[in-house]
Amino acid sequence: MRIFAALALPNEPRAALEAEINRLRRKYSDCGRWSQSKNLHLTMAFLGEATPDTAKKIATALAKVPQTAVCWRFSGLGVFSRQQILWAGLAETDRFNALAEQVRSCLDDMGQHYDRKPFRAHITLARQWQGPQPQALSSPLANYSFAVSPVCVRLYASERDASGRICYRVLSSY
Ligand code: 2AM
């Protein structure tokens, strides 16, 4: 299976992103493939193919990452042009960077390979993005503020449902 470690979103920021996706979709419906609300997450490390046994070991190791709390304030929208991804950025990146470093060093300690691309705290809103660049997309996201909440790191498997749509199955959370 294809696995990755990610943060699940608390309800309020998830609802804000869902509203933002719906708002953008009304204007740019054909410009990309929009994320489903239930799939929204913040990837900490993408591990790729792994056996169920390895996934279990990784889940056990990740459970040792100290618990912390973060503020899910958004900075606005961004685009990774090469990957054609429209994303929402997090404002308080230090906390997320530190957490990604802990998750990644935990994987390093167990000799587990993962995608080494530098971490950038973002949540994918649409893939195959053909729409405007972010400067042209004004967004209310940066105006919202949410309470600080405990993070929930999860190990997910990326799968396809019966109709071929991507869905993410939680393998573990702590
Ligand atoms: P994203 O973080 O930009 O959304 C499952 O595929 C998740 O892992 C997605 O959220 C995806 O992109 C992220 N991811 C990071 N590196 C990846 C890679 N090399 N291949 C596939 N997905 C990757």
Side-chain angles (χ1 to χ4, degrees), residues 2 4 41 43 46 85 115 117 122 124 127 168:
R2 272 160 67 90
F4 61 99
H41 63 271
T43 305
F46 179 78
I85 283 178
D115 188 326
K117 274 201 295 293
H122 72 277
T124 297
R127 296 175 199 282
Y168 301 130

mmCIF file of all heavy atoms in Angstrom, residues 2 4 41 43 46 85 115 117 122 124 127 168, ligand 1:
data_model
loop_
_atom_site.group_PDB
_atom_site.id
_atom_site.type_symbol
_atom_site.label_atom_id
_atom_site.label_comp_id
_atom_site.label_asym_id
_atom_site.label_seq_id
_atom_site.Cartn_x
_atom_site.Cartn_y
_atom_site.Cartn_z
ATOM 1 N N ARG A 2 0.246 2.378 -0.459
ATOM 2 C CA ARG A 2 0.948 3.681 -0.471
ATOM 3 C C ARG A 2 0.592 4.414 0.813
ATOM 4 O O ARG A 2 -0.590 4.648 1.066
ATOM 5 C CB ARG A 2 0.436 4.522 -1.641
ATOM 6 C CG ARG A 2 1.156 4.303 -2.944
ATOM 7 C CD ARG A 2 0.290 4.787 -4.077
ATOM 8 N NE ARG A 2 0.111 6.241 -4.064
ATOM 9 C CZ ARG A 2 0.922 7.084 -4.694
ATOM 10 N NH1 ARG A 2 1.941 6.636 -5.370
ATOM 11 N NH2 ARG A 2 0.703 8.381 -4.645
ATOM 12 N N PHE A 4 1.370 7.500 3.952
ATOM 13 C CA PHE A 4 1.945 8.801 4.300
ATOM 14 C C PHE A 4 1.519 9.198 5.704
ATOM 15 O O PHE A 4 0.481 8.746 6.201
ATOM 16 C CB PHE A 4 1.570 9.879 3.276
ATOM 17 C CG PHE A 4 0.094 10.144 3.136
ATOM 18 C CD1 PHE A 4 -0.494 11.229 3.791
ATOM 19 C CD2 PHE A 4 -0.708 9.324 2.365
ATOM 20 C CE1 PHE A 4 -1.854 11.481 3.660
ATOM 21 C CE2 PHE A 4 -2.072 9.561 2.238
ATOM 22 C CZ PHE A 4 -2.642 10.646 2.881
ATOM 23 N N HIS A 41 -5.975 17.167 4.559
ATOM 24 C CA HIS A 41 -4.957 16.795 5.549
ATOM 25 C C HIS A 41 -3.699 17.597 5.274
ATOM 26 O O HIS A 41 -3.566 18.200 4.207
ATOM 27 C CB HIS A 41 -4.639 15.299 5.426
ATOM 28 C CG HIS A 41 -4.046 14.961 4.098
ATOM 29 N ND1 HIS A 41 -4.828 14.624 3.014
ATOM 30 C CD2 HIS A 41 -2.775 14.974 3.652
ATOM 31 C CE1 HIS A 41 -4.047 14.435 1.968
ATOM 32 N NE2 HIS A 41 -2.793 14.647 2.325
ATOM 33 N N THR A 43 0.202 16.897 4.907
ATOM 34 C CA THR A 43 1.204 15.825 4.834
ATOM 35 C C THR A 43 2.482 16.229 5.562
ATOM 36 O O THR A 43 3.031 17.305 5.337
ATOM 37 C CB THR A 43 1.535 15.506 3.357
ATOM 38 O OG1 THR A 43 0.325 15.197 2.674
ATOM 39 C CG2 THR A 43 2.501 14.329 3.245
ATOM 40 N N PHE A 46 5.751 11.760 3.013
ATOM 41 C CA PHE A 46 5.168 10.783 2.089
ATOM 42 C C PHE A 46 6.118 9.596 2.008
ATOM 43 O O PHE A 46 7.281 9.753 1.643
ATOM 44 C CB PHE A 46 4.950 11.403 0.709
ATOM 45 C CG PHE A 46 4.371 10.433 -0.272
ATOM 46 C CD1 PHE A 46 3.016 10.130 -0.245
ATOM 47 C CD2 PHE A 46 5.180 9.804 -1.209
ATOM 48 C CE1 PHE A 46 2.474 9.218 -1.133
ATOM 49 C CE2 PHE A 46 4.641 8.890 -2.104
ATOM 50 C CZ PHE A 46 3.288 8.603 -2.064
ATOM 51 N N ILE A 85 -0.626 22.273 -8.269
ATOM 52 C CA ILE A 85 -1.406 22.134 -7.035
ATOM 53 C C ILE A 85 -1.799 23.513 -6.518
ATOM 54 O O ILE A 85 -0.956 24.415 -6.409
ATOM 55 C CB ILE A 85 -0.591 21.354 -5.981
ATOM 56 C CG1 ILE A 85 -0.618 19.867 -6.336
ATOM 57 C CG2 ILE A 85 -1.124 21.565 -4.567
ATOM 58 C CD1 ILE A 85 0.186 18.991 -5.422
ATOM 59 N N ASP A 115 9.849 10.624 0.964
ATOM 60 C CA ASP A 115 10.147 11.673 -0.012
ATOM 61 C C ASP A 115 10.881 12.816 0.693
ATOM 62 O O ASP A 115 10.346 13.398 1.641
ATOM 63 C CB ASP A 115 8.817 12.164 -0.613
ATOM 64 C CG ASP A 115 9.023 13.114 -1.776
ATOM 65 O OD1 ASP A 115 10.013 13.879 -1.745
ATOM 66 O OD2 ASP A 115 8.207 13.100 -2.705
ATOM 67 N N LYS A 117 11.732 15.746 -0.314
ATOM 68 C CA LYS A 117 11.461 17.150 -0.681
ATOM 69 C C LYS A 117 11.262 17.953 0.601
ATOM 70 O O LYS A 117 10.587 17.495 1.527
ATOM 71 C CB LYS A 117 10.202 17.249 -1.540
ATOM 72 C CG LYS A 117 10.471 17.051 -3.012
ATOM 73 C CD LYS A 117 9.383 17.624 -3.897
ATOM 74 C CE LYS A 117 8.034 16.971 -3.778
ATOM 75 N NZ LYS A 117 7.957 15.582 -4.244
ATOM 76 N N HIS A 122 1.356 22.953 3.814
ATOM 77 C CA HIS A 122 0.265 23.329 2.898
ATOM 78 C C HIS A 122 -0.807 22.257 2.907
ATOM 79 O O HIS A 122 -0.545 21.094 3.240
ATOM 80 C CB HIS A 122 0.805 23.499 1.470
ATOM 81 C CG HIS A 122 1.161 22.193 0.822
ATOM 82 N ND1 HIS A 122 2.361 21.559 1.039
ATOM 83 C CD2 HIS A 122 0.451 21.384 -0.012
ATOM 84 C CE1 HIS A 122 2.393 20.428 0.361
ATOM 85 N NE2 HIS A 122 1.247 20.289 -0.283
ATOM 86 N N THR A 124 -3.595 20.712 0.265
ATOM 87 C CA THR A 124 -3.980 20.720 -1.147
ATOM 88 C C THR A 124 -5.493 20.920 -1.300
ATOM 89 O O THR A 124 -6.283 20.145 -0.756
ATOM 90 C CB THR A 124 -3.544 19.397 -1.822
ATOM 91 O OG1 THR A 124 -2.111 19.329 -1.768
ATOM 92 C CG2 THR A 124 -3.999 19.316 -3.270
ATOM 93 N N ARG A 127 -5.964 19.652 -7.423
ATOM 94 C CA ARG A 127 -4.854 19.114 -8.215
ATOM 95 C C ARG A 127 -5.118 19.407 -9.686
ATOM 96 O O ARG A 127 -6.213 19.816 -10.056
ATOM 97 C CB ARG A 127 -4.740 17.599 -8.017
ATOM 98 C CG ARG A 127 -4.387 17.247 -6.584
ATOM 99 C CD ARG A 127 -4.398 15.745 -6.326
ATOM 100 N NE ARG A 127 -4.506 15.519 -4.892
ATOM 101 C CZ ARG A 127 -3.486 15.639 -4.032
ATOM 102 N NH1 ARG A 127 -2.284 15.922 -4.474
ATOM 103 N NH2 ARG A 127 -3.680 15.471 -2.744
ATOM 104 N N TYR A 168 -8.515 8.225 1.536
ATOM 105 C CA TYR A 168 -7.421 8.000 2.472
ATOM 106 C C TYR A 168 -7.947 7.242 3.672
ATOM 107 O O TYR A 168 -8.853 7.690 4.348
ATOM 108 C CB TYR A 168 -6.813 9.340 2.900
ATOM 109 C CG TYR A 168 -6.277 10.155 1.749
ATOM 110 C CD1 TYR A 168 -6.622 11.495 1.581
ATOM 111 C CD2 TYR A 168 -5.423 9.580 0.813
ATOM 112 C CE1 TYR A 168 -6.121 12.237 0.512
ATOM 113 C CE2 TYR A 168 -4.934 10.304 -0.254
ATOM 114 C CZ TYR A 168 -5.284 11.640 -0.399
ATOM 115 O OH TYR A 168 -4.793 12.357 -1.453
HETATM 116 P P1 2AM B 1 0.176 17.020 -1.003
HETATM 117 O O1 2AM B 1 0.816 16.869 0.351
HETATM 118 O O2 2AM B 1 0.729 18.137 -1.807
HETATM 119 O O3 2AM B 1 -1.315 17.105 -0.891
HETATM 120 C C1 2AM B 1 -0.950 11.379 -0.492
HETATM 121 O O4 2AM B 1 -0.604 11.205 -1.828
HETATM 122 C C2 2AM B 1 -0.461 12.708 0.051
HETATM 123 O O5 2AM B 1 0.971 12.743 0.108
HETATM 124 C C3 2AM B 1 -0.899 13.894 -0.776
HETATM 125 O O6 2AM B 1 -1.381 14.837 0.125
HETATM 126 C C4 2AM B 1 0.353 14.361 -1.489
HETATM 127 O O7 2AM B 1 0.500 15.686 -1.845
HETATM 128 C C5 2AM B 1 1.445 13.917 -0.537
HETATM 129 N N1 2AM B 1 2.691 13.654 -1.240
HETATM 130 C C6 2AM B 1 3.893 14.208 -0.933
HETATM 131 N N2 2AM B 1 4.862 13.721 -1.722
HETATM 132 C C7 2AM B 1 4.272 12.858 -2.576
HETATM 133 C C8 2AM B 1 4.747 12.044 -3.655
HETATM 134 N N3 2AM B 1 6.045 12.019 -3.991
HETATM 135 N N4 2AM B 1 3.839 11.302 -4.322
HETATM 136 C C9 2AM B 1 2.534 11.321 -3.984
HETATM 137 N N5 2AM B 1 2.028 12.057 -2.975
HETATM 138 C C10 2AM B 1 2.883 12.814 -2.279
#
